[in-house]
Amino acid sequence: MSEAATLTRKADFPGLVTEVGKPWHYLDTAASAQKPQVVVDAMSRALGRDYATVHRGVYGRSARMTLGYEAARRRVADFIGARSENEVVFVRGATEAINLVAAAWGMTRIGQGDRIILSTLEHHSNIVPWQMLAERTGAEIEVCPLTADGQIDLGGLEALLSPRTKLVALAHVSNVLGSVLDARRAAELAHSVGAKILLDGCQAAPRMKLDMAALDCDFYVFSGHKLYGPTGIGVLWAREDILAHMPPYQGGGAMIEKVAFDGTTYAPPPQRFEAGTPMITEAIALHAAIDYVDAFGPDRLFAHEAALAAQLRAELRKLNAVTLFGPEESAGIVSFALDGVHPHDLGTILDEEHVAIRAGHHCAQPLMEHLGVPATTRASFGLYSDEDDIAALMRGIERTRRIFG
């Protein structure tokens, strides 16, 4: 049996079973990953027998929960190669992380006539916050083109850069095409004109080795639920010297040193950016998810999902009625169109076959316009995916072709 079929046990994931007890072929991991039982158990314990608030209580359980919460921060720092846990800010997800950077860094560093460079393939969460910032400050948005096979064109990026460029914000891995950015080269280009670079790592964090020093970026964001953890938690990483000069994003408890009516002083990062009661149980469950994923090794994860993507592309290429999008080598994500069948119709029929895919614009409408389609069908793999999932998908596609034939 191939490596692609043996990476992990599907039995570790209670969600991979239908309501009637049949296997569920889940090919929507790019949207949100299924959770291993160890994550479910960690969250259950944290919500139940171990639960207490953090940072404020003087009683034993609160102290233990505080230790668990901060241990999760240290685990994240280790997982991404951060120099210090003080560079790790817990947020609700990558969307909030990007909005935090736009509000706390962008509003103080970007002004009239400055330029922000994005790419054609960005998720809406890495477009709209920068548009809102540009509207407030008078900055301009510039769009980096793609290569013919759907990669961010770094030659095009270099041509756009100027002394007016203040920020470059790019997806490390495309959520639609699976194309992988040469992030280190992108950072070199941004820094060559004194700009900062933010990387959207939502699709990279679950399937690639991360090393903030090696990437040499300034901001990195990802969501816990795509990393086999719970919803409601994500991570903003930024260099400590950058965080130290950013004002608070929100005000409230936990992010202060002293509050008085004649003035308030703020806690140092990361607490400065974590106003209110934090996502305690979610952080502890994210710790469990990282332990589970990291045990496989990032190189194996990437190879496993890339092999499945290549196999699926090969199977789809046998059908004359299929258009494939994106590069031949992708990070476990395959987007395609079936002639004469709307992706939503295909998704509905596949659901009847217990196959779950994503159909739509995938929060990437500018990319859909670039591709010349209203929507695509996207199959995305996880560490629990195997060749049986591909076979089930292909059976569903054949049934759909017969129905619409």
Side-chain angles (χ1 to χ4, degrees):
M1 191 175 288
S2 73
E3 171 74 8
T6 59
L7 186 60
T8 190
R9 298 185 310 148
K10 285 181 180 284
D12 287 354
F13 295 82
L16 294 179
V17 179
T18 67
E19 295 84 351
V20 294
K22 293 185 177 181
W24 192 39
H25 301 282
Y26 186 73
L27 294 173
D28 197 21
T29 299
S32 193
Q34 292 293 314
K35 318 306 172 192
Q37 187 65 48
V38 292
V39 170
V40 177
D41 292 343
M43 189 130 185
S44 178
R45 287 192 301 270
L47 281 168
R49 75 168 193 217
D50 296 342
Y51 185 76
T53 191
V54 297
H55 297 149
R56 300 176 181 85
V58 296
Y59 48 92
R61 189 184 290 189
S62 176
R64 290 191 296 273
M65 202 62 148
T66 299
L67 290 173
Y69 180 75
E70 292 303 332
R73 194 191 307 276
R74 290 192 297 275
R75 185 65 178 96
V76 170
D78 178 68
F79 180 66
I80 65 174
R83 287 170 293 187
S84 165
E85 65 264 31
N86 293 329
E87 297 179 326
V88 174
V89 180
F90 284 134
V91 288
R92 290 177 298 165
T95 298
E96 184 178 34
I98 295 171
N99 277 275
L100 191 163
V101 175
W105 180 85
M107 286 297 292
T108 59
R109 296 292 188 274
I110 293 179
Q112 181 77 35
D114 288 338
R115 292 176 177 171
I116 301 166
I117 298 179
L118 312 176
S119 84
T120 303
L121 58 68
E122 298 307 313
H123 189 282
H124 295 166
S125 293
N126 202 29
I127 298 175
V128 179
W130 307 118
Q131 290 177 325
M132 294 169 68
L133 176 64
E135 290 169 0
R136 292 169 183 157
T137 62
E140 301 172 10
I141 302 288
E142 295 185 307
V143 182
C144 177
L146 306 181
T147 61
D149 65 347
Q151 311 262 13
I152 294 175
D153 185 347
L154 293 183
L157 172 62
E158 187 171 15
L160 288 173
L161 291 167
S162 78
R164 294 171 62 189
T165 305
K166 300 302 180 186
L167 179 74
V168 176
L170 303 173
H172 196 174
V173 173
S174 167
N175 74 305
V176 177
L177 305 176
S179 48
V180 181
L181 174 71
D182 183 346
R184 180 61 185 247
R185 178 58 180 155
E188 290 173 353
L189 291 171
H191 293 157
S192 71
V193 295
K196 296 290 189 287
I197 182 167
L198 177 145
L199 296 176
D200 172 0
C202 281
Q203 301 300 333
R207 52 178 60 90
M208 294 175 63
K209 180 175 176 56
L210 298 180
D211 184 333
M212 295 301 104
L215 290 175
D216 196 29
C217 58
D218 301 289
F219 305 99
Y220 200 93
V221 307
F222 62 90
S223 293
H225 70 100
K226 297 180 190 290
L227 186 56
Y228 305 93
T231 56
I233 189 166
V235 169
L236 164 65
W237 172 88
R239 296 206 316 267
E240 204 164 357
D241 60 312
I242 296 177
L243 288 175
H245 291 92
M246 286 168 53
Y249 171 56
Q250 296 175 320
M255 48 74 68
I256 50 85
E257 286 184 335
K258 180 182 178 181
V259 174
F261 284 113
D262 60 356
T264 293
T265 55
Y266 305 117
Q271 287 76 24
R272 181 185 304 170
F273 305 106
E274 296 180 6
T277 302
M279 51 289 287
I280 304 166
T281 59
E282 291 85 352
I284 289 170
L286 178 60
H287 188 160
I290 289 174
D291 284 348
Y292 184 88
V293 170
D294 212 22
F296 293 98
D299 292 339
R300 288 186 70 204
L301 290 173
F302 189 90
H304 169 75
E305 296 177 29
L308 288 170
Q311 181 179 338
L312 176 57
R313 292 182 72 91
E315 292 294 327
L316 290 171
R317 198 174 290 109
K318 297 175 183 177
L319 306 177
N320 294 330
V322 169
T323 301
L324 285 161
F325 303 103
E328 284 303 306
E329 297 182 1
S330 71
I333 297 171
V334 178
S335 283
F336 62 95
L338 185 60
D339 293 354
V341 182
H342 193 281
H344 290 160
D345 293 327
L346 176 57
T348 299
I349 295 171
L350 287 172
D351 184 47
E352 296 171 356
E353 299 291 324
H354 308 304
V355 177
I357 52 87
R358 180 54 60 102
H361 54 64
H362 318 295
C363 293
Q365 288 177 301
L367 177 57
M368 295 299 109
E369 182 176 352
H370 169 78
L371 297 175
V373 294
T376 70
T377 300
R378 182 185 70 189
S380 53
F381 298 103
L383 58 84
Y384 39 65
S385 303
D386 59 23
E387 294 160 345
D388 289 344
D389 298 318
I390 293 177
L393 172 61
M394 296 306 297
R395 288 194 300 270
I397 290 174
E398 287 296 342
R399 181 185 169 213
T400 303
R401 294 180 69 195
R402 291 194 299 271
I403 291 172
F404 281 85

Coordinates of all heavy atoms in Angstrom, one line a residue, residues 171-210:
A171 N -0.4 35.2 0.3 CA -0.7 33.9 0.8 C 0.5 33.0 0.6 O 1.1 33.0 -0.4 CB -1.9 33.3 0.0
H172 N 0.9 32.3 1.7 CA 2.0 31.4 1.7 C 1.6 30.2 0.8 O 2.4 29.7 0.0 CB 2.3 30.9 3.1 CG 3.7 30.3 3.2 ND1 4.2 29.9 4.4 CD2 4.6 29.9 2.2 CE1 5.4 29.3 4.2 NE2 5.6 29.3 2.9
V173 N 0.4 29.7 0.9 CA -0.2 28.7 0.0 C -1.6 29.1 -0.4 O -2.4 29.5 0.5 CB -0.3 27.3 0.7 CG1 -1.0 26.3 -0.1 CG2 1.1 26.8 1.1
S174 N -1.9 29.1 -1.7 CA -3.2 29.5 -2.1 C -4.3 28.5 -1.7 O -4.1 27.3 -1.8 CB -3.2 29.5 -3.7 OG -4.6 29.6 -4.2
N175 N -5.4 29.1 -1.2 CA -6.5 28.2 -0.7 C -7.3 27.6 -1.8 O -8.1 26.7 -1.6 CB -7.4 29.0 0.3 CG -8.3 30.0 -0.4 OD1 -7.8 30.8 -1.2 ND2 -9.6 29.9 -0.2
V176 N -7.1 28.1 -3.0 CA -7.8 27.6 -4.2 C -6.9 26.8 -5.1 O -7.4 25.7 -5.6 CB -8.4 28.8 -5.1 CG1 -9.1 28.3 -6.3 CG2 -9.3 29.7 -4.2
L177 N -5.7 27.2 -5.3 CA -4.9 26.5 -6.3 C -3.8 25.6 -5.7 O -3.2 24.8 -6.4 CB -4.2 27.6 -7.2 CG -5.1 28.5 -7.9 CD1 -4.3 29.6 -8.7 CD2 -6.0 27.8 -8.9
G178 N -3.6 25.8 -4.4 CA -2.5 25.0 -3.7 C -1.1 25.4 -4.1 O -0.2 24.8 -3.7
S179 N -1.0 26.5 -4.8 CA 0.4 27.0 -5.2 C 1.1 27.5 -4.0 O 0.6 28.2 -3.2 CB 0.3 28.0 -6.3 OG -0.7 29.0 -6.0
V180 N 2.4 27.2 -4.0 CA 3.3 27.5 -2.8 C 4.2 28.7 -3.2 O 4.9 28.7 -4.2 CB 4.1 26.3 -2.4 CG1 5.0 26.7 -1.2 CG2 3.2 25.1 -2.1
L181 N 4.1 29.7 -2.4 CA 4.9 30.9 -2.6 C 6.4 30.7 -2.2 O 6.6 30.0 -1.1 CB 4.3 32.1 -1.7 CG 5.1 33.4 -1.7 CD1 5.1 34.1 -3.0 CD2 4.6 34.3 -0.6
D182 N 7.3 31.2 -2.9 CA 8.7 31.3 -2.5 C 8.8 32.4 -1.5 O 9.1 33.6 -1.8 CB 9.6 31.5 -3.7 CG 11.1 31.5 -3.3 OD1 11.4 31.6 -2.0 OD2 12.0 31.5 -4.2
A183 N 8.4 32.1 -0.2 CA 8.2 33.2 0.8 C 9.5 33.9 1.1 O 9.5 35.1 1.3 CB 7.6 32.6 2.0
R184 N 10.6 33.2 1.2 CA 11.8 33.9 1.5 C 12.2 34.9 0.5 O 12.7 36.0 0.8 CB 12.9 32.8 1.7 CG 14.3 33.4 2.0 CD 14.3 34.1 3.3 NE 15.6 34.8 3.6 CZ 16.4 34.4 4.6 NH1 16.1 33.4 5.4 NH2 17.6 35.0 4.8
R185 N 12.0 34.5 -0.8 CA 12.3 35.4 -1.9 C 11.4 36.6 -1.9 O 11.8 37.8 -2.1 CB 12.3 34.7 -3.2 CG 12.5 35.6 -4.5 CD 13.9 36.3 -4.4 NE 14.1 37.1 -5.6 CZ 15.0 38.2 -5.6 NH1 15.6 38.5 -4.5 NH2 15.1 38.9 -6.7
A186 N 10.1 36.4 -1.6 CA 9.2 37.5 -1.5 C 9.6 38.5 -0.4 O 9.4 39.7 -0.5 CB 7.8 36.9 -1.3
A187 N 10.0 37.9 0.8 CA 10.5 38.8 1.9 C 11.7 39.6 1.5 O 11.8 40.8 1.8 CB 10.8 37.9 3.1
E188 N 12.6 39.0 0.8 CA 13.8 39.7 0.3 C 13.4 40.9 -0.6 O 14.0 42.0 -0.4 CB 14.7 38.7 -0.4 CG 15.4 37.7 0.4 CD 16.2 36.7 -0.4 OE1 16.1 36.7 -1.7 OE2 16.9 35.8 0.2
L189 N 12.5 40.6 -1.5 CA 12.0 41.7 -2.4 C 11.4 42.8 -1.6 O 11.7 44.0 -1.8 CB 11.1 41.1 -3.4 CG 11.7 40.2 -4.5 CD1 10.6 39.5 -5.3 CD2 12.7 41.0 -5.3
A190 N 10.5 42.5 -0.7 CA 9.8 43.5 0.1 C 10.8 44.3 0.9 O 10.7 45.6 0.9 CB 8.7 42.8 1.0
H191 N 11.7 43.6 1.6 CA 12.6 44.3 2.4 C 13.6 45.2 1.6 O 14.2 46.1 2.2 CB 13.4 43.3 3.3 CG 12.5 42.6 4.3 ND1 12.9 41.4 4.8 CD2 11.4 43.0 4.9 CE1 11.9 41.1 5.7 NE2 11.0 42.0 5.7
S192 N 13.8 44.9 0.3 CA 14.7 45.6 -0.5 C 14.3 47.1 -0.7 O 15.1 48.0 -1.0 CB 14.9 45.0 -1.9 OG 13.7 45.2 -2.7
V193 N 13.0 47.4 -0.5 CA 12.5 48.8 -0.5 C 12.0 49.2 0.8 O 11.4 50.3 0.9 CB 11.4 48.9 -1.6 CG1 11.9 48.6 -3.0 CG2 10.2 48.0 -1.3
G194 N 12.4 48.5 1.9 CA 12.0 48.9 3.2 C 10.6 48.6 3.6 O 10.1 49.1 4.6
A195 N 9.9 47.8 2.8 CA 8.5 47.4 3.1 C 8.5 46.2 4.1 O 9.4 45.4 4.2 CB 7.8 47.1 1.9
K196 N 7.4 46.1 4.8 CA 7.1 44.9 5.6 C 6.3 43.9 4.8 O 5.7 44.2 3.9 CB 6.3 45.3 6.9 CG 7.1 46.3 7.8 CD 8.2 45.6 8.5 CE 8.8 46.4 9.6 NZ 9.6 47.6 9.1
I197 N 6.4 42.6 5.2 CA 5.7 41.6 4.5 C 4.9 40.8 5.5 O 5.4 40.4 6.6 CB 6.6 40.7 3.7 CG1 5.8 39.6 2.9 CG2 7.7 40.0 4.5 CD1 6.5 38.9 1.9
L198 N 3.6 40.5 5.2 CA 2.7 39.7 6.0 C 2.4 38.5 5.1 O 2.1 38.6 4.0 CB 1.4 40.4 6.4 CG 0.4 39.6 7.1 CD1 -0.4 40.5 8.1 CD2 -0.6 39.0 6.2
L199 N 2.5 37.3 5.8 CA 2.2 36.0 5.1 C 0.9 35.4 5.7 O 0.9 35.3 6.9 CB 3.3 35.0 5.1 CG 4.6 35.5 4.4 CD1 5.7 34.4 4.7 CD2 4.4 35.7 3.0
D200 N 0.0 35.1 4.8 CA -1.2 34.3 5.3 C -0.9 32.9 5.2 O -0.8 32.3 4.2 CB -2.4 34.7 4.3 CG -3.6 33.8 4.6 OD1 -3.6 32.9 5.5 OD2 -4.6 34.0 3.8
G201 N -0.7 32.3 6.4 CA -0.2 30.9 6.5 C -1.3 29.9 6.8 O -1.0 28.8 7.2
C202 N -2.6 30.2 6.5 CA -3.7 29.3 6.9 C -3.5 28.0 6.3 O -3.8 26.9 6.9 CB -5.0 30.0 6.5 SG -5.6 31.2 7.6
Q203 N -3.1 27.9 5.0 CA -3.0 26.6 4.3 C -1.6 26.0 4.4 O -1.4 24.9 4.2 CB -3.3 26.8 2.8 CG -4.7 27.3 2.5 CD -5.8 26.4 3.1 OE1 -5.6 25.2 3.2 NE2 -7.0 27.0 3.4
A204 N -0.6 26.8 4.9 CA 0.7 26.4 5.0 C 0.9 25.7 6.4 O 1.6 24.7 6.5 CB 1.7 27.5 4.8
A205 N 0.4 26.3 7.4 CA 0.7 25.8 8.8 C 0.3 24.3 9.0 O 1.0 23.6 9.7 CB -0.1 26.7 9.8
P206 N -0.8 23.8 8.4 CA -1.2 22.4 8.6 C -0.3 21.4 7.8 O -0.4 20.2 8.0 CB -2.6 22.3 8.1 CG -3.1 23.7 8.0 CD -1.9 24.5 7.7
R207 N 0.5 21.9 6.9 CA 1.2 21.0 6.0 C 2.6 21.3 5.6 O 3.2 20.6 4.8 CB 0.3 20.8 4.7 CG 0.0 22.1 4.0 CD -0.8 21.9 2.7 NE -2.0 21.3 2.9 CZ -3.2 21.9 3.2 NH1 -3.3 23.2 3.3 NH2 -4.3 21.2 3.3
M208 N 3.2 22.3 6.3 CA 4.6 22.6 5.9 C 5.4 23.0 7.2 O 4.8 23.4 8.2 CB 4.6 23.9 5.0 CG 4.0 23.6 3.6 SD 3.9 25.1 2.6 CE 5.7 25.5 2.5
K209 N 6.6 22.7 7.2 CA 7.5 23.2 8.3 C 7.6 24.7 8.3 O 7.9 25.3 7.2 CB 8.9 22.5 8.2 CG 9.8 23.0 9.3 CD 11.1 22.2 9.3 CE 12.1 22.7 10.3 NZ 11.5 22.6 11.7
L210 N 7.4 25.3 9.4 CA 7.5 26.8 9.5 C 8.6 27.1 10.3 O 8.9 26.5 11.4 CB 6.2 27.3 10.1 CG 4.9 27.1 9.3 CD1 3.7 27.7 10.1 CD2 5.0 27.6 7.9

